[in-house]
Amino acid sequence: MGINNVVFIAFGALVERLNDALCIEYFRSIGIGVDYIDVTGLLFGGNIKQDYDFVRSINTYDEFENIISCYCKSSTLFNIQIHYELRFVKLFLLLRKHRCKMSIFEIGYMPYIPFDRKIKEYLKYPFDFFKRGYAKLIDIVLSRFDFFQFKYYVKFVSGNVPLRISQNNSNKVVEINYIDYEYNRDMVDVSNNSKRYFVFLDIYLYKHEDHRFVRFANKNNFLYEKYLQNLNNFFIEIENRFDAEVIIAAHPKSNYAGYEFCNRKIIKNNTVGLVKGSYGVISHHSTSLSFAVLNYKPVIFIYDDLIKTEFTNIYMYTKVFADYLHMPCLNTDFEMLETMPDVSKTKYNKYKYDFLVTENSECLTNKQIIEGFIKNEAFI
C-alpha cells in the first residue's frame, strides 16, 4: 500500500518558506492528503498565530493521541519536524505506541560549533547547561538499554552533511534540495536598485517570537534599542566608506514600523533578489546566507557585545559561519570593514554541497523528487 496521507507535526509558526521547504503543496498536487498539527501549546504552553487555515493547534496529549489514532498507519506518513530530546519524550512514545510511520525533513543544517567553544560559552549559563547535560545523559542511558530507540521510515535530506548522518536510523533516505536553492534557481528578476548597495539579512533579533524556544539566551536583558543603534552606526560607516546604501531584507515574521533602521529601505519577501543584485551581504547568522553562497557574494558577519553576552547561540554561529566561508567577522562596537573580502569559490561550493544540495538532487526539482518518491511507494 502506498502513501495516501502526510501528517506534519511541528512547533512554531508555519510560514511560507517552511511550507515550501516541506513540499506541502507538492504532496497535495499529486493527491496526497495533508494535515498539519501545531504542538507549540502542547510543548511550550500558549498558542501562536498561524498563517495557514489548515494548521490545527493542540494543547493536550489526549488531543494529540486522538488525532494520530484516527489515521490508517500503513498508508500515513507522520512527518515529525522535531528532533528527539528528553523534554519531548512523551510525544515520541505516543507515536511509537501507535506504530506510526515516521519521517522528517533534515533541512536547514548549518556548520557545527566546535565542542570546546560550545562548552566555554554555555558554562556562562550553568543552570541551563547542567540541566541540558542531565537530559542528554538520560537519553544515552535510555538508548543504551534499548528503552527508547526507533527508526524513521524515511528522511528527506538536503546536503551531504545530513545525508551522512541519516543512514543509520532511517529505512530510506530521499535527497532533496534546500528550498533556498530552489528559490535561487527559479529567480530571474533581481533588485533594480540604481545605486550600489549592501543587503542586511535581518533575523528580527529585535522582537522575534521564536526566542521563546531558544536556550542559553538572556532574552529579557537584551537592550533592543542599543542593538539597533549599534547596527545603524555600522551601516553609516559602511555607506560612507564604500559609497553605497544599506537595504534591509526584512525577516518574514518581522513587523517594523519603518523607523528602526533610520528610514533605510526595508523590503520583505525578496531576499533572493536583493542578494543577487547586491554588492555585498551583511549578516549575523541566517539560513538565508544560502543566497549569498549560491551567488558568490562576499559576506560581512557582524555581532556586538550585547549579542555576545545575551544571545550566545547567535554569537557562536556567526563566528562559525564566518570561519566556514573564510569571511570577516566584526564586533561592531569597535571594528570596521577596511576592504571588501575575496570570495573563495572552493569554500562556497563546499557549503553548497554540505548543506543545500547533493550531486544527485541538484539536477532535479523538489516537485520531481517528491513525485518520484510517492510513485515508488505505490509499488511497494
Side-chain angles (χ1 to χ4, degrees), residues 48-63:
I48 58 176
K49 182 182 178 182
Q50 294 287 352
D51 296 339
Y52 293 91
D53 293 337
F54 64 83
V55 175
R56 189 185 334 187
S57 298
I58 63 168
N59 294 284
T60 69
Y61 283 104
D62 285 341
E63 287 180 275

Side-chain angles (χ1 to χ4, degrees), residues 7 9 64-65 68 73 78-82 88-103 148 150 152:
V7 179
I9 301 165
F64 181 72
E65 188 166 14
I68 65 174
K73 301 307 181 296
F78 291 86
N79 190 85
I80 180 161
Q81 206 58 33
I82 302 168
F88 306 141
V89 65
K90 189 170 183 179
L91 191 77
F92 281 83
L93 287 175
L94 285 173
L95 290 164
R96 190 172 73 168
K97 172 185 173 182
H98 288 273
R99 300 181 182 278
C100 293
K101 190 182 289 186
M102 292 171 52
S103 67
F148 191 75
F150 63 90
Y152 288 92

Side-chain angles (χ1 to χ4, degrees), residues 3-262:
I3 301 297
N4 295 325
N5 299 285
V6 180
V7 179
F8 290 89
I9 301 165
F11 60 79
L14 177 65
V15 295
E16 181 180 8
R17 183 175 178 177
L18 180 58
N19 182 75
D20 294 343
L22 297 177
C23 301
I24 289 176
E25 298 309 318
Y26 296 155
F27 282 112
R28 283 188 166 144
S29 70
I30 52 178
I32 303 300
V34 172
D35 286 311
Y36 195 101
I37 303 172
D38 168 26
V39 292
T40 305
L42 176 66
L43 300 178
F44 299 95
N47 290 317
I48 58 176
K49 182 182 178 182
Q50 294 287 352
D51 296 339
Y52 293 91
D53 293 337
F54 64 83
V55 175
R56 189 185 334 187
S57 298
I58 63 168
N59 294 284
T60 69
Y61 283 104
D62 285 341
E63 287 180 275
F64 181 72
E65 188 166 14
N66 288 337
I67 289 172
I68 65 174
S69 64
C70 293
Y71 291 93
C72 173
K73 301 307 181 296
S74 61
S75 62
T76 301
L77 201 58
F78 291 86
N79 190 85
I80 180 161
Q81 206 58 33
I82 302 168
H83 284 120
Y84 170 74
E85 295 181 28
L86 185 62
R87 56 183 173 155
F88 306 141
V89 65
K90 189 170 183 179
L91 191 77
F92 281 83
L93 287 175
L94 285 173
L95 290 164
R96 190 172 73 168
K97 172 185 173 182
H98 288 273
R99 300 181 182 278
C100 293
K101 190 182 289 186
M102 292 171 52
S103 67
I104 188 172
F105 278 72
E106 295 283 21
I107 55 179
Y109 272 62
M110 299 182 291
Y112 292 111
I113 300 171
F115 182 75
D116 58 340
R117 185 184 297 179
K118 188 183 294 188
I119 292 295
K120 180 180 177 182
E121 294 298 329
Y122 284 175
L123 281 173
K124 295 177 181 177
Y125 308 92
F127 177 76
D128 286 336
F129 175 76
F130 287 110
K131 182 179 177 182
R132 190 164 193 180
Y134 173 77
K136 288 288 186 184
L137 179 62
I138 295 298
D139 288 340
I140 292 170
V141 172
L142 292 177
S143 298
R144 182 73 175 266
F145 290 95
D146 202 26
F147 180 78
F148 191 75
Q149 289 187 347
F150 63 90
K151 262 200 170 187
Y152 288 92
Y153 178 74
V154 61
K155 285 189 173 186
F156 302 91
V157 304
S158 61
N160 289 322
V161 168
L163 177 62
R164 285 194 295 268
I165 65 178
S166 293
Q167 308 289 350
N168 294 330
N169 69 337
S170 183
N171 293 326
K172 303 178 182 182
V173 177
V174 176
E175 299 170 40
I176 65 171
N177 303 315
Y178 188 50
I179 191 60
D180 288 355
Y181 179 83
E182 301 255 310
Y183 286 162
N184 190 77
R185 181 195 58 215
D186 297 340
M187 170 63 70
V188 177
D189 296 329
V190 298
S191 172
N192 58 1
N193 205 66
S194 58
K195 185 175 180 180
R196 180 164 69 177
Y197 68 90
F198 289 82
V199 58
F200 172 62
L201 301 181
D202 172 47
I203 59 173
Y204 202 31
L205 190 59
Y206 183 55
K207 289 181 180 178
H208 200 307
E209 64 181 17
D210 283 359
H211 292 339
R212 64 188 293 193
F213 309 129
V214 176
R215 292 174 181 250
F216 305 112
N218 290 325
K219 301 172 282 292
N220 295 329
N221 297 332
F222 192 72
L223 303 175
Y224 296 102
E225 290 76 14
K226 176 63 175 172
Y227 162 72
L228 288 175
Q229 180 183 344
N230 288 348
L231 266 185
N232 285 311
N233 288 341
F234 181 78
F235 293 161
I236 290 171
E237 292 291 335
I238 286 288
E239 288 167 336
N240 291 338
R241 186 176 297 272
F242 294 98
D243 189 26
E245 64 178 317
V246 174
I247 297 176
I248 314 303
H251 191 277
K253 292 185 182 179
S254 64
N255 186 26
Y256 292 117
Y259 58 80
E260 291 86 353
F261 296 99
C262 298

